[in-house]
Amino acid sequence: MASPKIASLSWGQMKVEGSILYKDCKVWPGGSPAWDWRETGTEHSPGVQPADIKEVAEKGVQTLVIGRGMSEALKVPPSTVEYLEKQGIDVRVLQSHTVKEYNALVAQGIRVEGVFHSTC
């Protein structure tokens, strides 16, 4: 099953092909649920925790793209990157080119997941 493309991203909303609009979301082959990163106690700092991406890390993908928000306010600590690397997942932490990078990976046929923050 292929990863869905991101149709659009603007301040406070993003659209995944075949889905509804989201503020923040997780995307993987066959799914794209909303991402309420505060349910794991995540704040902009220290940022994305392993608990936030555990679900996506278990989907058997090659690459995970993490979007830090439009102003890069959402941090990604080294412990989160290390957790993913130990799972054998290529991690790409991005801001301005997040959707472009994610969609390029999808177009290459790579099983990619993403977690995206669409505001600050």
Side-chain angles (χ1 to χ4, degrees):
M1 183 174 294
S3 301
K5 286 191 174 184
I6 305 297
S8 65
L9 172 65
S10 60
W11 186 270
Q13 68 179 20
M14 62 182 303
K15 173 82 172 139
V16 177
E17 285 185 351
S19 296
I20 61 172
L21 287 174
Y22 299 102
K23 178 182 174 206
D24 301 320
C25 75
K26 298 177 181 181
V27 182
W28 57 70
S32 63
W35 177 30
D36 179 3
W37 40 280
R38 293 181 188 237
E39 66 184 20
T40 57
T42 295
E43 297 289 336
H44 286 103
S45 183
V48 181
Q49 302 298 303
D52 294 306
I53 45 85
K54 183 176 189 234
E55 179 181 30
V56 287
E58 294 172 345
K59 298 291 181 184
V61 297
Q62 298 165 282
T63 302
L64 174 63
V65 175
I66 301 174
R68 295 188 49 214
M70 300 294 194
S71 301
E72 297 186 67
L74 183 60
K75 307 292 185 215
V76 180
S79 60
T80 298
V81 173
E82 290 167 10
Y83 168 79
L84 291 163
E85 288 173 343
K86 284 180 183 174
Q87 306 290 324
I89 298 171
D90 174 36
V91 184
R92 302 187 188 191
V93 179
L94 305 166
Q95 184 264 335
S96 60
H97 300 291
T98 303
V99 170
K100 184 177 180 181
E101 176 79 8
Y102 173 89
N103 283 341
L105 292 166
V106 171
Q108 292 172 34
I110 294 172
R111 287 183 52 86
V112 60
E113 298 172 334
V115 292
F116 300 96
H117 178 49
S118 71
T119 58
C120 49

